[in-house]
Amino acid sequence: MKSLLTPGVCLLVVAALLHTGLVTPSPLLIAYAFYGVLIAGLLLAWRFHSSRIFCGLLVVFLAQQAITFFSQGHVAAGGPGSIALAAVGLLLPLNFVLLSFQQEKGFSFSRVAPPALLLFVQSVIVAVLCRPESSAAAQRALHHAALPAPLPFATLLAFAAAAVALLIRFLLFHKPVESGLLWALAACCLALRFGGVGRIPAAYFAAAAFLLASAIVETSYLLAYHDELTTLPSRRAFHDALLGLEAPYAIAMLDVDH
């Protein structure tokens, strides 16, 4: 439960700091934080052979860059920025679910190449849809022109379905990666909810990258202190528990296989 709730608490803290005015970081500082966390997360994912987190960070990066590039600082209704926002709202949850279902088999070219190729194809599709001459047609095709909601219903439905899928997978397998993907998804949803561009959305994208990177640390802790097969506390956890004991105490040991 710590792996599930701790990232959520971190996201709530970020939201409270952003929307209560307790801190007002400059856009430049947020940009530095985003790229710093992104690079650190990519290096951690490479070092710890986590191809899923590596690709998840690429998804967040490409989503943020697409919205920023095509919006030119302002998401106008019917313009390329709004189409990029709508496309990201559909593709990002789909990619997170696909990464969750992908089996982790180490970090190698053969493991990273297929999702990287998929992301490249998606980027090309978004670039084609966001061309100024095709903006109106793409807007009608995606059914976003007449929706008064801040986020289209299709986007909200995609995020909700992806969140349910990630939560179910976490409850089934208790893996920090699913928790990181779940809360990073929530952070990206908030970034889109507040326009996709600007200081607050950029901070939420940075929070999403941080939550994904922290999943690697949580996974390393889980492997160090718990048995990978049974998830029971390991010998290292046993010794840490011994250090916290105060006399008098008793220890019972049971040999389960003989």
Side-chain angles (χ1 to χ4, degrees):
M1 294 306 296
K2 290 181 180 179
S3 298
L4 178 63
L5 298 179
T6 302
V9 172
C10 294
L11 183 58
L12 287 176
V13 171
V14 171
L17 292 176
L18 288 175
H19 297 288
T20 58
L22 295 177
V23 293
T24 54
S26 65
L28 184 61
L29 180 60
I30 294 177
Y32 281 138
F34 173 70
Y35 288 111
V37 173
L38 179 72
I39 294 173
L42 291 173
L43 291 175
L44 283 173
W46 166 75
R47 186 66 182 89
F48 286 91
H49 306 284
S50 180
S51 59
R52 293 197 294 168
I53 294 297
F54 188 90
C55 293
L57 288 168
L58 289 181
V59 170
V60 174
F61 171 72
L62 291 174
Q64 191 268 346
Q65 289 296 304
I67 298 173
T68 301
F69 177 78
F70 289 109
S71 66
Q72 297 297 318
H74 178 69
V75 178
S82 65
I83 296 178
L85 191 73
V88 167
L90 295 176
L91 292 175
L92 189 145
L94 174 63
N95 285 316
F96 272 27
V97 173
L98 291 177
L99 289 174
S100 177
F101 279 91
Q102 178 183 340
Q103 290 186 355
E104 188 65 79
K105 294 183 178 180
F107 193 96
S108 63
F109 178 79
S110 60
R111 296 300 302 170
V112 177
L117 179 60
L118 178 62
L119 291 179
F120 174 76
V121 172
Q122 292 177 4
S123 301
V124 173
I125 293 175
V126 172
V128 172
L129 290 176
C130 293
R131 290 181 304 172
E133 59 271 18
S134 63
S135 294
Q139 187 78 358
R140 290 193 299 270
L142 291 175
H143 302 287
H144 295 324
L147 292 176
L151 283 179
F153 177 75
T155 300
L156 296 175
L157 183 62
F159 273 97
V164 171
L166 293 173
L167 179 60
I168 291 175
R169 286 188 59 81
F170 176 82
L171 295 177
L172 288 176
F173 303 106
H174 306 288
K175 298 296 184 182
V177 173
E178 270 68 35
S179 176
L181 289 171
L182 172 63
W183 291 109
L185 181 75
C188 291
C189 183
L190 290 173
L192 300 187
R193 167 63 180 81
F194 289 99
V197 291
R199 184 175 62 87
I200 291 180
Y204 279 123
F205 278 123
F210 173 78
L211 293 173
L212 287 174
S214 64
I216 301 176
V217 179
E218 184 65 23
T219 300
S220 302
Y221 169 83
L222 184 66
L223 294 176
Y225 284 89
H226 294 81
D227 177 71
E228 187 174 7
L229 178 62
T230 64
T231 69
L232 293 173
S234 65
R235 187 178 183 87
R236 177 175 294 182
F238 172 71
H239 284 295
D240 281 0
L242 286 180
L243 295 176
L245 293 177
E246 297 181 0
Y249 60 84
I251 298 178
M253 311 239 356
L254 176 64
D255 191 339
V256 296
D257 48 5
H258 291 292

